[in-house]
């Protein structure tokens, strides 16, 4: 058990770090210190202002559809209940204009199969036909409207009129969560409720961790705090590292369980009033194409938010192996190396789907790699480091691209696990010691065909959808 008076360091102000701080505050801890290299109060979690964490994004999927993984389904439902309350709170307080952080206009899982895939069947069984609509249902359109969704959700790309075969499900209670705004709201809650019990260390040098402070013992080592880039040492009996894909850089031992991988994202600036209306986030659903039938053609997309449409490639994620590190993050804002392009294979896969579904789009305006931490089985790593004695270092990582939707509850789970309380099933599922099923192959280094060193990168000349740079 952690004493309420103990100083606690939390590294990382993304979703897992913010949720952890909120839970610590709620449970009465009195000396919490949150560190991050970005000054999120000024930079507002905006990717356009040097923020490159997974949480720093325009939007994220919020789904309750999890197939047979009912533990994640239930977690998402609990999180959604709280986020809906936050929406009401935001409106009542007129916080940042009062607009919601979660827009529930449905999530479409779309394939070209004739039959419903195993994920769809399992989700229909666990969620029930009251929450899930099968696209082949002749009444899919009417059912969607009965749930308050726009009728376009049943066939947003007009495939039926084109005589195209399509199948899938609509998760009616899913939606588009505005990621940057959700983070700002949670930081606001942490500051407001934490008061003098919470100290923020945000920004270059003062909030960026250079290394962990470790003390040798007669039997090994223990963690005693962190040293930041400004040369200051911060001591605490407990350090919680919620650094997302940077976990492996701060805690090298975690490489045996987690590897930083990059998703591929394209952004299109929408200015045409007709397209802005057609793809508006208050009408159009989030969607995915072939993401659950194990194909590398998997692509997903979002409605227009803040004037931008985001489209992503999900078939493969990429690695960047370096000497001594299984995979190193490289982004537009990383240093000293930077990268604004994505692998050409990913871009071409997105262009094929854009041609099929979004022919109005003629050109991509920006690309980025969005980095996550992957585990072998897509279940998170939330546990004390077995390499540090006295329960002195706790790690949260391996989000595998699906932790964000648990933003309102993951902190409570983390703090329960810190105190050896809570759900024993989850404690084992997220443990460091459990042998994991190898759904993902990690730590292949340069032998991995997904390594950026082994793939051809796209460039802005490839951004033209129909191959004509003069358009």
């Amino acid at each position: 058990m952690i004493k309420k008076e103990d100083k606690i360091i939390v590294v990382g102000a993304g979703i897992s770090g913010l949720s952890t701080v909120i839970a610590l505050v709620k449970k009465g801890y009195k000396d919490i210190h949150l560190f991050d290299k970005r000054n999120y109060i000024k930079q507002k979690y905006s990717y356009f202002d040097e923020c490159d964490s997974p949480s720093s994004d325009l939007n994220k999927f919020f789904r309750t559809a999890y197939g047979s993984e009912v533990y994640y389904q239930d977690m998402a439902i609990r999180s959604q209940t709280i986020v809906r309350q936050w929406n009401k709170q935001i409106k009542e307080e007129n916080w940042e204009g009062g607009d919601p952080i979660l827009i529930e206009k449905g999530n479409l899982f779309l394939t070209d199969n004739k039959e419903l895939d195993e994920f769809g069947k399992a989700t229909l069984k666990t969620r029930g036909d009251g929450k899930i609509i099968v696209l082949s249902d002749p009444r899919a359109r009417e059912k969607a409207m009965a749930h308050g969704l726009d009728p376009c959700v049943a066939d947003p790309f007009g495939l039926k009129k084109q005589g195209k075969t399509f199948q899938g499900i609509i998760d009616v209670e899913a939606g588009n969560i505005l990621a940057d705004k959700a983070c700002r709201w949670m930081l606001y809650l942490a500051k407001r409720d934490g008061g003098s019990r919470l100290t923020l260390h945000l920004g270059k040098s003062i909030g960026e961790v250079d290394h962990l402070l470790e003390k040798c013992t007669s039997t090994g080592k223990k963690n005693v705090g962190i040293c930041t880039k400004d040369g200051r040492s911060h001591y605490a009996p407990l350090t919680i590292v919620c650094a997302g894909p940077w976990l492996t850089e701060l805690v090298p031992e975690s490489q045996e369980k987690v590897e930083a991988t990059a998703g591929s994202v394209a952004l299109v600036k929408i200015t045409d009033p007709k397209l802005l209306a057609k793809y508006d986030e208050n009408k159009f659903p989030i969607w995915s194409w072939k993401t659950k039938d194990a194909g590398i053609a998997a692509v997903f997309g979002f409605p227009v938010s803040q004037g931008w449409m985001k489209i992503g490639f999900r078939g493969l994620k990429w690695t960047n192996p370096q000497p001594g590190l299984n995979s190193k993050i490289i982004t537009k804002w990383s240093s000293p190396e930077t990268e604004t392009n994505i692998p050409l294979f990913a871009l071409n896969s997105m262009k094929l789907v854009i041609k099929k579904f979004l022919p109005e789009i003629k050109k991509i305006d920006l690309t980025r790699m969005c980095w996550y931490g992957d585990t072998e089985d897509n279940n998170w790593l939330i546990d004390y480091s077995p390499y540090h004695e006295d329960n002195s270092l706790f790690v949260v990582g391996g989000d595998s691209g699906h932790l964000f939707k648990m933003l309102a509850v993951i902190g409570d789970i983390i703090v329960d696990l810190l105190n050896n309380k809570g759900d024993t099933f989850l404690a084992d599922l997220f443990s460091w010691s459990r042998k994991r099923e190898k759904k993902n192959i990690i730590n292949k280094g340069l032998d991995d065909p997904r390594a950026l060193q082994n793939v051809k990168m796209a460039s802005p000349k490839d951004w033209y959808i129909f191959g004509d740079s003069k358009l």
Side-chain angles (χ1 to χ4, degrees):
M1 294 288 290
I2 312 162
K3 296 177 182 177
K4 296 293 175 69
E5 295 77 20
D6 284 346
K7 181 178 179 180
I8 301 173
I9 288 174
V10 179
V11 177
I15 278 302
S16 55
L18 290 171
S19 191
T20 299
V21 167
I22 289 172
L24 289 170
V25 166
K26 181 172 62 178
K27 294 176 186 295
Y29 291 90
K30 298 178 180 179
D31 192 10
I32 309 160
H33 293 252
L34 178 62
F35 291 79
D36 202 288
K37 64 180 178 180
R38 304 299 182 198
N39 187 339
Y40 286 128
I41 295 172
K42 291 184 178 180
Q43 294 170 280
K44 299 182 181 297
Y45 288 89
S46 171
Y47 172 74
F48 301 103
D49 190 13
E50 300 190 20
C51 300
D52 55 2
S53 71
S55 298
S56 305
D57 208 342
L58 286 171
N59 37 29
K60 298 285 188 186
F61 280 81
F62 195 105
R63 62 181 169 97
T64 58
Y66 259 99
S68 60
E69 296 176 312
V70 292
Y71 39 91
Y72 285 129
Q73 171 189 290
D74 293 346
M75 205 182 297
I77 292 170
R78 296 201 315 272
S79 180
Q80 184 181 52
T81 299
I82 296 171
V83 174
R84 285 171 172 169
Q85 295 170 356
W86 286 350
N87 274 350
K88 292 180 181 179
Q89 218 177 324
I90 288 167
K91 184 176 181 180
E92 290 169 358
E93 297 181 18
N94 197 33
W95 184 82
E96 288 195 4
D99 292 331
I101 57 174
L102 174 61
I103 304 171
E104 296 180 55
K105 295 301 175 183
N107 182 2
L108 185 67
F109 293 88
L110 186 64
T111 77
D112 55 2
N113 299 329
K114 292 183 180 180
E115 302 293 330
L116 198 60
D117 60 22
E118 292 305 312
F119 174 82
K121 291 176 183 177
T123 301
L124 185 62
K125 182 178 180 180
T126 56
R127 285 293 276 147
D129 59 8
K131 304 294 184 181
I132 301 296
I133 300 171
V134 179
L135 288 174
S136 58
D137 186 334
R139 298 188 62 247
R141 178 184 170 97
E142 288 73 18
K143 287 183 176 181
M145 293 172 66
H147 282 280
L149 302 178
D150 191 277
C152 78
V153 174
D155 185 11
F157 304 115
L159 299 180
K160 192 173 183 179
K161 289 183 179 179
Q162 301 174 46
K164 301 284 181 65
T165 299
F166 66 100
Q167 181 58 283
I169 61 172
I170 304 169
D171 182 359
V172 300
E173 291 193 335
N176 173 31
I177 190 157
L178 308 181
D180 49 3
K181 186 173 183 178
C183 289
R184 295 196 299 273
W185 169 251
M186 293 180 72
L187 182 57
Y188 163 75
L189 291 180
K191 289 169 56 186
R192 185 194 68 183
D193 298 342
S196 62
R197 293 182 290 149
L198 172 63
T199 304
L200 299 178
H201 308 259
L202 303 178
K204 295 178 180 178
S205 296
I206 65 169
E208 185 173 3
V209 179
D210 185 76
H211 60 273
L212 300 179
L213 295 175
E214 296 175 336
K215 178 182 178 181
C216 291
T217 69
S218 59
T219 53
K221 64 181 179 180
K222 66 180 291 186
N223 192 77
V224 294
I226 61 173
C227 180
T228 46
K229 290 286 187 180
D230 60 0
R232 292 190 61 192
S233 295
H234 303 267
Y235 294 94
L238 174 64
T239 298
I240 307 170
V241 179
C242 301
W246 286 273
L247 172 65
T248 51
E249 296 188 33
L250 293 179
V251 186
E253 295 90 346
S254 67
Q255 292 179 80
E256 65 185 37
K257 294 294 181 180
V258 178
E259 183 175 60
T261 62
S264 306
V265 173
L267 293 171
V268 179
K269 186 67 175 175
I270 304 296
T271 57
D272 185 315
K274 290 183 179 179
L275 297 185
L276 287 170
K278 180 178 180 180
Y279 298 117
D280 184 85
E281 64 190 353
N282 293 302
K283 168 186 177 181
F284 204 77
I286 50 178
W287 56 273
S288 60
W289 172 248
K290 297 179 72 66
T291 57
K292 296 300 179 182
D293 53 3
I296 60 171
V299 172
F300 60 87
F302 288 82
V304 174
S305 182
Q306 301 178 49
W308 292 94
M309 177 183 284
K310 186 175 82 172
I311 300 165
F313 171 68
R314 187 64 174 170
L316 292 170
K317 290 194 282 186
W318 316 97
T319 64
N320 183 29
Q322 299 294 323
L325 186 64
N326 58 5
S327 184
K328 184 175 178 60
I329 292 89
I330 180 170
T331 74
K332 179 179 181 179
W333 310 113
S334 59
S335 179
E337 293 182 278
T338 62
E339 183 61 83
T340 59
N341 297 304
I342 60 176
L344 183 60
F345 182 84
L347 183 64
N348 284 339
S349 297
M350 286 188 277
K351 287 166 68 172
L352 286 174
V353 174
I354 291 171
K355 288 177 184 179
K356 185 192 298 282
F357 294 154
L358 302 161
E360 309 100 324
I361 306 301
K362 308 300 182 186
K363 181 179 177 292
I364 288 165
D365 293 288
L366 288 173
T367 60
R368 66 173 287 198
M369 286 189 289
C370 187
W371 290 84
Y372 306 94
D374 271 354
T375 62
E376 289 180 311
D377 64 354
N378 294 324
N379 293 306
W380 311 320
L381 175 64
I382 306 176
D383 200 356
Y384 284 101
S385 164
Y387 296 95
H388 296 81
E389 297 178 353
D390 297 338
N391 284 354
S392 56
L393 182 67
F394 195 87
V395 300
V396 180
D399 61 286
S400 300
H402 72 113
L403 184 143
F404 197 100
K405 62 188 67 62
M406 314 305 179
L407 73 168
V409 297
I410 190 61
D412 289 324
I413 293 169
I414 290 167
V415 175
D416 280 345
L417 295 179
L418 277 169
N419 286 308
N420 297 308
K421 291 183 174 181
D423 192 316
T424 55
F425 171 78
L426 294 182
D428 179 65
L429 187 68
F430 304 147
S431 70
W432 194 305
S433 60
R434 181 176 61 85
K435 186 175 181 180
R436 298 180 180 236
E437 181 184 355
K438 290 179 169 51
K439 295 179 180 178
N440 302 315
I441 303 299
I442 66 173
N443 292 332
K444 289 187 69 176
L446 292 175
D447 292 331
D448 194 333
R450 303 174 304 148
L452 292 176
Q453 294 87 338
N454 297 329
V455 302
K456 182 178 180 181
M457 300 296 286
S459 69
K461 68 180 178 60
D462 301 303
W463 292 356
Y464 294 86
I465 305 302
F466 296 94
D468 187 353
S469 61
K470 296 179 182 179
L471 284 175

